[in-house]
Amino acid sequence: MLKVETTVQIDVVQGAIDQAAGYLINNLQKNGMFRYRINTNSGVKLRPKYNILHHAGCVYALSLYNQYCPSENVRRAVKTSANYLSKEAVQPIPGSQTTLAVWARPEMHNTTRPLQAGLDGAGTGLLAFLSLHTIQKEVVSIEYLQALGRFIVYMQQGDKSFYARYIPLFGGKKRPQSLKHYPMEATLGLLMLHEKDRYSIWLETACVALESLVRHGKPASMADINPWTLLAISKLLSFNSKVGMPMPKELLVAYATRVCELLLRQQIDTPRQPHYSGGFSKDGVTLPTAAWIEGLLAALTFLPVNTRLTKQIHCAVRRGINFLLQAQIRDGEWAGAIPRAVGPLRSRRAAAIAFNQRATEVRIDYVQYAMRAWMKYVSLAPVLSMS
């Protein structure tokens, strides 16, 4: 049974959001790249690394922050980072100048893997540029957004599942993705594109993807579920009064209910280690908690109100928000940062030693996921306060 935590102070959450955004903006370089990661333990050496998927996620998060707290400084950061994403990573696929992919270049990622474009990168990139389009329509054209959407449609297979990667060296579409694991970022991106451009293929592809997932069967474990699924379902159900639902709403709600039930059983409650309580990872890693809190908050927008489940979700969300607030660095050089974990493991085993070296690592995706969860919480605070 979930333990009720202290209430969350909205002004504290708002301050945490501002600090997280400040960290990302302060670590944005003139060329549009972010300072990808640091370690607050100066004794840990870091090799050069970058991840364009995480970069796109930061563009998306900062765009949402500008809608939450508009300013010229934030808009400039969004535009600068989006320009880098567009210039350095977005290119057509071979043979189709009207289909754009987000490419992971080996020299950028400092990897030996071949040049490739992923479905996850396409989805997050589309979300980033859609959000930028909302801020400044003249910066991102609808044709550009459509070209990004075409890549996602192109990656869908005949059985309605998706390929995970497009690798030119190996002939194109590779690595079929299982129905329950393909990135839901792409589905959410297509649904948001449908809001801007009513071309039916966006909605049809997204709906087929969701229907394939929810009809595949009830998820049995945490390995079967994805927080982006709840975000995609929430977005689709928000269209209810605007478009005919391509599948029964009850089917989507039943699947989301199962996801939430599985997740709630994973929330940590450890009186002997209170800094772990409220998280969704036994080792105190922060990113999964941030991702799932955003998903749970999305579920509250469509699940029946005042049920046992929604009351549990309200409680779980507050505990998760507090967990993330306690993890954030509040002052000093790294103010606003979110470390990989809330603390070291109490073990001398080799795996624990390796974990502890990274526990103090701060990566841009750790920060932007927490910031998005907090912004979602603030946007739903009036509803949450009534529970």
Side-chain angles (χ1 to χ4, degrees):
M1 182 176 178
L2 292 173
K3 175 185 174 183
V4 177
E5 280 286 324
T6 56
T7 57
V8 176
Q9 294 181 316
I10 292 297
D11 60 335
V12 174
V13 180
Q14 291 170 329
I17 294 167
D18 293 337
Q19 282 201 308
Y23 176 86
L24 292 177
I25 293 170
N26 291 337
N27 282 278
L28 179 63
Q29 302 170 84
K30 289 183 179 180
N31 67 350
M33 290 181 74
F34 292 94
R35 187 178 184 184
Y36 181 64
R37 62 175 180 167
I38 59 99
N39 199 304
T40 59
N41 179 356
S42 59
V44 177
K45 303 300 180 184
L46 296 173
R47 69 181 182 89
K49 191 176 181 181
Y50 209 69
N51 187 301
I52 202 64
L53 170 65
H54 298 161
H55 178 105
C58 286
V59 178
Y60 176 49
L62 285 173
S63 297
L64 294 177
Y65 179 70
N66 186 72
Q67 296 172 39
Y68 164 82
C69 184
S71 79
E72 185 54 39
N73 187 42
V74 179
R75 279 192 292 273
R76 186 164 50 248
V78 172
K79 189 174 179 180
T80 300
S81 55
N83 282 343
Y84 177 85
L85 176 62
S86 180
K87 180 181 177 182
E88 300 295 334
V90 180
Q91 295 292 331
I93 63 171
S96 178
Q97 290 297 308
T98 60
T99 302
L100 293 176
V102 177
W103 296 91
R105 295 192 288 107
E107 64 273 22
M108 177 193 293
H109 284 233
N110 193 29
T111 180
T112 57
R113 293 175 182 174
L115 176 70
Q116 57 189 276
L119 189 64
D120 49 1
T124 307
L126 181 55
L127 290 171
F129 288 115
L130 280 163
S131 298
L132 179 57
H133 181 80
T134 300
I135 299 172
Q136 294 178 298
K137 290 181 173 59
E138 69 278 7
V139 175
V140 181
S141 69
I142 194 68
E143 290 78 17
Y144 191 84
L145 298 173
Q146 290 168 337
L148 289 164
R150 285 189 200 101
F151 178 77
I152 299 173
V153 175
Y154 173 70
M155 294 292 279
Q156 194 170 40
Q157 301 183 77
D159 66 356
K160 308 307 179 183
S161 62
F162 286 84
Y163 289 98
R165 294 283 180 267
Y166 184 97
I167 308 175
L169 182 65
F170 299 149
K173 293 183 280 190
K174 296 294 177 182
R175 289 175 55 190
Q177 194 105 38
S178 70
L179 287 173
K180 59 188 177 183
H181 285 134
Y182 66 79
M184 273 282 130
E185 302 99 307
T187 301
L188 178 60
L190 288 179
L191 291 171
M192 290 179 64
L193 179 57
H194 172 71
E195 289 184 298
K196 306 284 185 185
D197 174 38
R198 294 296 180 172
Y199 183 36
S200 62
I201 193 64
W202 315 133
L203 181 62
E204 290 170 4
T205 304
C207 288
V208 166
L210 267 175
E211 187 169 19
S212 297
L213 180 67
V214 300
R215 290 191 187 279
H216 188 67
K218 289 184 177 181
S221 70
M222 288 292 289
D224 297 334
I225 59 178
N226 183 329
W228 288 93
T229 306
L230 298 176
L231 296 172
I233 291 174
S234 176
K235 176 58 67 175
L236 177 58
L237 292 178
S238 74
F239 297 161
N240 199 14
S241 61
K242 304 173 186 176
V243 299
M245 288 299 294
M247 71 192 88
K249 176 181 177 180
E250 293 74 20
L251 186 68
L252 294 168
V253 172
Y255 185 88
T257 296
R258 177 59 177 166
V259 169
C260 292
E261 289 171 343
L262 276 173
L263 178 62
L264 291 175
R265 291 201 288 268
Q266 301 299 313
Q267 193 166 36
I268 307 300
D269 187 2
T270 56
R272 293 183 180 180
Q273 295 177 295
H275 57 300
Y276 282 15
S277 292
F280 288 96
S281 176
K282 292 180 180 179
D283 52 12
V285 173
T286 54
L287 191 149
T289 299
W292 278 116
I293 290 300
E294 186 182 23
L296 286 172
L297 286 164
L300 287 176
T301 65
F302 61 81
L303 289 176
V305 298
N306 294 323
T307 64
R308 181 175 179 271
L309 177 62
T310 54
K311 290 176 181 177
Q312 288 179 320
I313 293 174
H314 282 278
C315 179
V317 162
R318 292 191 180 102
R319 297 181 66 222
I321 291 293
N322 279 328
F323 170 86
L324 293 172
L325 289 173
Q326 291 167 13
Q328 188 179 41
I329 299 171
R330 294 302 179 88
D331 43 55
E333 183 180 4
W334 312 117
I338 307 291
R340 182 170 184 263
V342 293
L345 298 179
R346 298 175 183 176
S347 172
R348 295 183 179 180
R349 293 181 179 179
I353 293 171
F355 177 93
N356 291 342
Q357 281 197 314
R358 292 195 62 199
T360 48
E361 175 185 282
V362 176
R363 221 168 58 185
I364 56 174
D365 53 322
Y366 307 158
V367 180
Q368 67 97 354
Y369 265 99
M371 186 171 76
R372 284 191 358 227
W374 287 327
M375 286 191 290
K376 190 80 169 177
Y377 181 82
V378 170
S379 71
L380 293 176
V383 175
L384 291 166
S385 66
M386 292 187 294
S387 66

